[in-house]
Amino acid sequence: MRSVVPDYLIEALGDARADTSGALAAYIPELAAADPERLGAVFATVDGEVYGAGDIDTEFTIQSISKPFAYALALADRGFDAVLAKVGVEPSGEAFNQISLESDTGRPLNPMINAGAITAHSLAGSAEMTAAERVQRVVDGLSAFAGRQLTTDTAVCASELEHAHRNLAIAHMLRSHDILTEDPRTVVDGYTRQCSVLVTTRDLAMMAATLANRGINPVSGARVIHEPVVRQVLSVMSTCGMYDAAGDWATQVGIPAKSGVAGGLIGALPGQIGIATFSPRLDRHGNSVRGVSLFERFSSDMGLHVMEVPAAARAVVRSNHVVGAGRDAIRVLELQGGVGFSAAERIVREAVDTAPTEVGVALDLTMVYSIDDVGRRMLLEVVRRLTLDGHEVYLVDPETLVPDPDPGDGGRVTVVKTLEQEQNSSDR
Ligand code: GLN
């Protein structure tokens, strides 16, 4: 059988191809020379599967899609406080190259507009690095997200630098507020090199999938960035990634995203997939026309909007029954699925409502596939309170989802692999 997904992508691209509206980014002459008909789309799942259609191995410059990744590197290299002191996280609702800074502090509003991105570039790597080392740190960092060594397009870089008056103006303003501490020209040079990193649609999907996969590249398995940084970056992408179209995007597509003026567009759906599209003609916001319509379609066809309320998960308490009889009777709460706060709350409620009369109570995790920290703590508190009520509590945990369970003060628990194991041992 052929997979369904690539055929779906081919069909979506076929429909998108007809739209030839929009224009190439003319302010960077070298970009204006791009082939406007290029079109590609890739889905990369968090478990490393890659589906693509169209021009997925054509290289183009990453441009502003580098911004969330360079911001991630700055956060990793300098820490949150140092970065937040210099770049805010408020949506600006303005164009990407707007010359606007917070009036009192001179801080750029967020790291997705040029002012914030130029600042974030200056914060990647250590403070002691030379400008060239900093560029290398950024290129290597982006490469780790992509899972292969990336290079830069020197022609596009030179072309942009010749016309970089606006970014230079922004950088000089930043320098006057001491947000930048180095020579503004050097920083703009480094930032422009960062924007000139060559990627394919496949690379971009992998970079997005690394964010979707909590910072671990799904193919190389390398941890590129820690989870708190991922959460920060995805949050900023979702509020600021599409500039002055961020509100439309948030409501209609609802996937944390970032666009670039060479025609790339990425979306990262936490825990699910990284998506990338490539089509060079841009709308008035500087976002790829066909890219935006493809994302709208992907989101609605496949219910990818992050605010889509998931169908209530199957009840976490699969059954509540008694095994054995008389003094050996055990009340069993057979649990299933993933256990986070809301599932744990259901378990607590079930235990309270049942008010078991049996001495033995077993919490059976055999069908549970994951349990997070809050789920674990609440479960252990149920164990403790049941012990204090005079129960003998068992945890059926064949996969060791709760290693070394410690129910704390006054709590006691016996861990078994199966309930039969417990019953057999008490028979003897
Ligand atoms: N290098 C471009 C610039 O700074 C990136 C802009 C973009 O992709 N939106 O103007």
Side-chain angles (χ1 to χ4, degrees), residues 73-83 122-128 134 182:
L73 299 175
L75 289 167
D77 294 345
R78 303 286 178 100
F80 278 62
D81 290 348
V83 175
S122 79
L123 296 172
S126 71
E128 294 72 37
R134 191 167 334 285
E182 292 162 51

PDB file of all heavy atoms in Angstrom, residues 73-83 122-128 134 182:
ATOM      1  N   LEU A  73      19.248  29.899  20.794  1.00  0.00           N
ATOM      2  CA  LEU A  73      20.676  29.791  21.116  1.00  0.00           C
ATOM      3  C   LEU A  73      21.072  30.851  22.133  1.00  0.00           C
ATOM      4  O   LEU A  73      21.824  30.579  23.084  1.00  0.00           O
ATOM      5  CB  LEU A  73      21.521  29.933  19.845  1.00  0.00           C
ATOM      6  CG  LEU A  73      21.274  28.878  18.747  1.00  0.00           C
ATOM      7  CD1 LEU A  73      22.085  29.218  17.500  1.00  0.00           C
ATOM      8  CD2 LEU A  73      21.615  27.473  19.244  1.00  0.00           C
ATOM      9  N   ALA A  74      20.538  32.073  21.952  1.00  0.00           N
ATOM     10  CA  ALA A  74      20.851  33.142  22.910  1.00  0.00           C
ATOM     11  C   ALA A  74      20.368  32.761  24.302  1.00  0.00           C
ATOM     12  O   ALA A  74      21.093  32.918  25.291  1.00  0.00           O
ATOM     13  CB  ALA A  74      20.214  34.456  22.450  1.00  0.00           C
ATOM     14  N   LEU A  75      19.144  32.235  24.387  1.00  0.00           N
ATOM     15  CA  LEU A  75      18.606  31.825  25.699  1.00  0.00           C
ATOM     16  C   LEU A  75      19.462  30.728  26.316  1.00  0.00           C
ATOM     17  O   LEU A  75      19.744  30.737  27.523  1.00  0.00           O
ATOM     18  CB  LEU A  75      17.169  31.315  25.542  1.00  0.00           C
ATOM     19  CG  LEU A  75      16.103  32.362  25.215  1.00  0.00           C
ATOM     20  CD1 LEU A  75      14.806  31.676  24.786  1.00  0.00           C
ATOM     21  CD2 LEU A  75      15.839  33.272  26.418  1.00  0.00           C
ATOM     22  N   ALA A  76      19.890  29.784  25.474  1.00  0.00           N
ATOM     23  CA  ALA A  76      20.694  28.672  25.980  1.00  0.00           C
ATOM     24  C   ALA A  76      22.070  29.159  26.423  1.00  0.00           C
ATOM     25  O   ALA A  76      22.603  28.708  27.439  1.00  0.00           O
ATOM     26  CB  ALA A  76      20.834  27.599  24.901  1.00  0.00           C
ATOM     27  N   ASP A  77      22.656  30.085  25.647  1.00  0.00           N
ATOM     28  CA  ASP A  77      24.037  30.504  25.910  1.00  0.00           C
ATOM     29  C   ASP A  77      24.156  31.545  27.025  1.00  0.00           C
ATOM     30  O   ASP A  77      25.146  31.581  27.737  1.00  0.00           O
ATOM     31  CB  ASP A  77      24.671  31.059  24.631  1.00  0.00           C
ATOM     32  CG  ASP A  77      24.839  29.976  23.559  1.00  0.00           C
ATOM     33  OD1 ASP A  77      24.734  28.778  23.911  1.00  0.00           O
ATOM     34  OD2 ASP A  77      25.059  30.331  22.389  1.00  0.00           O
ATOM     35  N   ARG A  78      23.122  32.422  27.147  1.00  0.00           N
ATOM     36  CA  ARG A  78      23.248  33.520  28.122  1.00  0.00           C
ATOM     37  C   ARG A  78      22.258  33.416  29.275  1.00  0.00           C
ATOM     38  O   ARG A  78      22.357  34.161  30.249  1.00  0.00           O
ATOM     39  CB  ARG A  78      23.017  34.871  27.430  1.00  0.00           C
ATOM     40  CG  ARG A  78      23.931  35.154  26.267  1.00  0.00           C
ATOM     41  CD  ARG A  78      25.359  35.493  26.722  1.00  0.00           C
ATOM     42  NE  ARG A  78      26.175  35.706  25.552  1.00  0.00           N
ATOM     43  CZ  ARG A  78      26.495  36.914  25.079  1.00  0.00           C
ATOM     44  NH1 ARG A  78      26.087  37.992  25.689  1.00  0.00           N
ATOM     45  NH2 ARG A  78      27.228  37.022  23.996  1.00  0.00           N
ATOM     46  N   GLY A  79      21.259  32.544  29.145  1.00  0.00           N
ATOM     47  CA  GLY A  79      20.253  32.435  30.200  1.00  0.00           C
ATOM     48  C   GLY A  79      19.086  33.387  29.946  1.00  0.00           C
ATOM     49  O   GLY A  79      19.230  34.395  29.246  1.00  0.00           O
ATOM     50  N   PHE A  80      17.946  33.072  30.543  1.00  0.00           N
ATOM     51  CA  PHE A  80      16.719  33.847  30.306  1.00  0.00           C
ATOM     52  C   PHE A  80      16.850  35.296  30.766  1.00  0.00           C
ATOM     53  O   PHE A  80      16.458  36.211  30.052  1.00  0.00           O
ATOM     54  CB  PHE A  80      15.533  33.191  31.034  1.00  0.00           C
ATOM     55  CG  PHE A  80      14.932  32.047  30.264  1.00  0.00           C
ATOM     56  CD1 PHE A  80      15.677  30.921  29.960  1.00  0.00           C
ATOM     57  CD2 PHE A  80      13.617  32.102  29.843  1.00  0.00           C
ATOM     58  CE1 PHE A  80      15.127  29.868  29.243  1.00  0.00           C
ATOM     59  CE2 PHE A  80      13.053  31.057  29.130  1.00  0.00           C
ATOM     60  CZ  PHE A  80      13.810  29.937  28.835  1.00  0.00           C
ATOM     61  N   ASP A  81      17.398  35.510  31.969  1.00  0.00           N
ATOM     62  CA  ASP A  81      17.415  36.867  32.513  1.00  0.00           C
ATOM     63  C   ASP A  81      18.199  37.815  31.618  1.00  0.00           C
ATOM     64  O   ASP A  81      17.748  38.926  31.326  1.00  0.00           O
ATOM     65  CB  ASP A  81      18.017  36.869  33.929  1.00  0.00           C
ATOM     66  CG  ASP A  81      17.080  36.193  34.920  1.00  0.00           C
ATOM     67  OD1 ASP A  81      15.908  35.940  34.552  1.00  0.00           O
ATOM     68  OD2 ASP A  81      17.518  35.910  36.050  1.00  0.00           O
ATOM     69  N   ALA A  82      19.373  37.357  31.188  1.00  0.00           N
ATOM     70  CA  ALA A  82      20.232  38.224  30.371  1.00  0.00           C
ATOM     71  C   ALA A  82      19.552  38.559  29.048  1.00  0.00           C
ATOM     72  O   ALA A  82      19.632  39.700  28.567  1.00  0.00           O
ATOM     73  CB  ALA A  82      21.569  37.543  30.115  1.00  0.00           C
ATOM     74  N   VAL A  83      18.847  37.588  28.472  1.00  0.00           N
ATOM     75  CA  VAL A  83      18.199  37.839  27.177  1.00  0.00           C
ATOM     76  C   VAL A  83      16.959  38.705  27.364  1.00  0.00           C
ATOM     77  O   VAL A  83      16.745  39.679  26.625  1.00  0.00           O
ATOM     78  CB  VAL A  83      17.869  36.507  26.466  1.00  0.00           C
ATOM     79  CG1 VAL A  83      17.089  36.755  25.185  1.00  0.00           C
ATOM     80  CG2 VAL A  83      19.160  35.738  26.164  1.00  0.00           C
ATOM     81  N   SER A 122      23.290  39.106  18.648  1.00  0.00           N
ATOM     82  CA  SER A 122      24.452  39.577  19.426  1.00  0.00           C
ATOM     83  C   SER A 122      24.606  38.811  20.739  1.00  0.00           C
ATOM     84  O   SER A 122      25.649  38.862  21.380  1.00  0.00           O
ATOM     85  CB  SER A 122      24.337  41.078  19.704  1.00  0.00           C
ATOM     86  OG  SER A 122      23.433  41.323  20.770  1.00  0.00           O
ATOM     87  N   LEU A 123      23.530  38.108  21.157  1.00  0.00           N
ATOM     88  CA  LEU A 123      23.558  37.379  22.428  1.00  0.00           C
ATOM     89  C   LEU A 123      23.811  35.876  22.253  1.00  0.00           C
ATOM     90  O   LEU A 123      23.890  35.140  23.234  1.00  0.00           O
ATOM     91  CB  LEU A 123      22.231  37.589  23.175  1.00  0.00           C
ATOM     92  CG  LEU A 123      21.954  39.037  23.611  1.00  0.00           C
ATOM     93  CD1 LEU A 123      20.534  39.167  24.158  1.00  0.00           C
ATOM     94  CD2 LEU A 123      22.974  39.499  24.651  1.00  0.00           C
ATOM     95  N   ALA A 124      23.915  35.428  21.015  1.00  0.00           N
ATOM     96  CA  ALA A 124      24.228  34.004  20.802  1.00  0.00           C
ATOM     97  C   ALA A 124      25.708  33.787  21.088  1.00  0.00           C
ATOM     98  O   ALA A 124      26.528  34.664  20.828  1.00  0.00           O
ATOM     99  CB  ALA A 124      23.900  33.606  19.367  1.00  0.00           C
ATOM    100  N   GLY A 125      26.034  32.639  21.650  1.00  0.00           N
ATOM    101  CA  GLY A 125      27.427  32.373  21.994  1.00  0.00           C
ATOM    102  C   GLY A 125      27.811  33.133  23.258  1.00  0.00           C
ATOM    103  O   GLY A 125      26.980  33.805  23.873  1.00  0.00           O
ATOM    104  N   SER A 126      29.073  33.055  23.638  1.00  0.00           N
ATOM    105  CA  SER A 126      29.504  33.737  24.857  1.00  0.00           C
ATOM    106  C   SER A 126      29.852  35.184  24.537  1.00  0.00           C
ATOM    107  O   SER A 126      30.087  35.546  23.383  1.00  0.00           O
ATOM    108  CB  SER A 126      30.722  33.031  25.454  1.00  0.00           C
ATOM    109  OG  SER A 126      31.841  33.258  24.626  1.00  0.00           O
ATOM    110  N   ALA A 127      29.873  36.024  25.591  1.00  0.00           N
ATOM    111  CA  ALA A 127      30.156  37.447  25.411  1.00  0.00           C
ATOM    112  C   ALA A 127      31.558  37.673  24.857  1.00  0.00           C
ATOM    113  O   ALA A 127      31.822  38.675  24.197  1.00  0.00           O
ATOM    114  CB  ALA A 127      29.983  38.179  26.739  1.00  0.00           C
ATOM    115  N   GLU A 128      32.449  36.708  25.114  1.00  0.00           N
ATOM    116  CA  GLU A 128      33.849  36.903  24.711  1.00  0.00           C
ATOM    117  C   GLU A 128      34.107  36.580  23.244  1.00  0.00           C
ATOM    118  O   GLU A 128      35.178  36.876  22.717  1.00  0.00           O
ATOM    119  CB  GLU A 128      34.783  36.020  25.562  1.00  0.00           C
ATOM    120  CG  GLU A 128      34.842  36.377  27.039  1.00  0.00           C
ATOM    121  CD  GLU A 128      33.570  36.014  27.798  1.00  0.00           C
ATOM    122  OE1 GLU A 128      32.983  34.954  27.479  1.00  0.00           O
ATOM    123  OE2 GLU A 128      33.142  36.805  28.662  1.00  0.00           O
ATOM    124  N   ARG A 134      30.877  34.151  16.640  1.00  0.00           N
ATOM    125  CA  ARG A 134      29.448  34.206  16.932  1.00  0.00           C
ATOM    126  C   ARG A 134      28.639  33.710  15.729  1.00  0.00           C
ATOM    127  O   ARG A 134      27.702  32.933  15.868  1.00  0.00           O
ATOM    128  CB  ARG A 134      29.041  35.634  17.318  1.00  0.00           C
ATOM    129  CG  ARG A 134      27.660  35.720  17.881  1.00  0.00           C
ATOM    130  CD  ARG A 134      27.299  37.038  18.557  1.00  0.00           C
ATOM    131  NE  ARG A 134      28.349  37.850  19.116  1.00  0.00           N
ATOM    132  CZ  ARG A 134      29.000  37.593  20.250  1.00  0.00           C
ATOM    133  NH1 ARG A 134      28.714  36.507  20.944  1.00  0.00           N
ATOM    134  NH2 ARG A 134      29.933  38.392  20.680  1.00  0.00           N
ATOM    135  N   GLU A 182      28.184  46.130  20.969  1.00  0.00           N
ATOM    136  CA  GLU A 182      29.261  46.063  19.981  1.00  0.00           C
ATOM    137  C   GLU A 182      28.984  47.053  18.848  1.00  0.00           C
ATOM    138  O   GLU A 182      27.931  47.678  18.808  1.00  0.00           O
ATOM    139  CB  GLU A 182      29.353  44.640  19.407  1.00  0.00           C
ATOM    140  CG  GLU A 182      29.817  43.619  20.424  1.00  0.00           C
ATOM    141  CD  GLU A 182      29.486  42.204  19.993  1.00  0.00           C
ATOM    142  OE1 GLU A 182      29.814  41.825  18.856  1.00  0.00           O
ATOM    143  OE2 GLU A 182      28.870  41.482  20.800  1.00  0.00           O
TER     144      GLU A 182
END
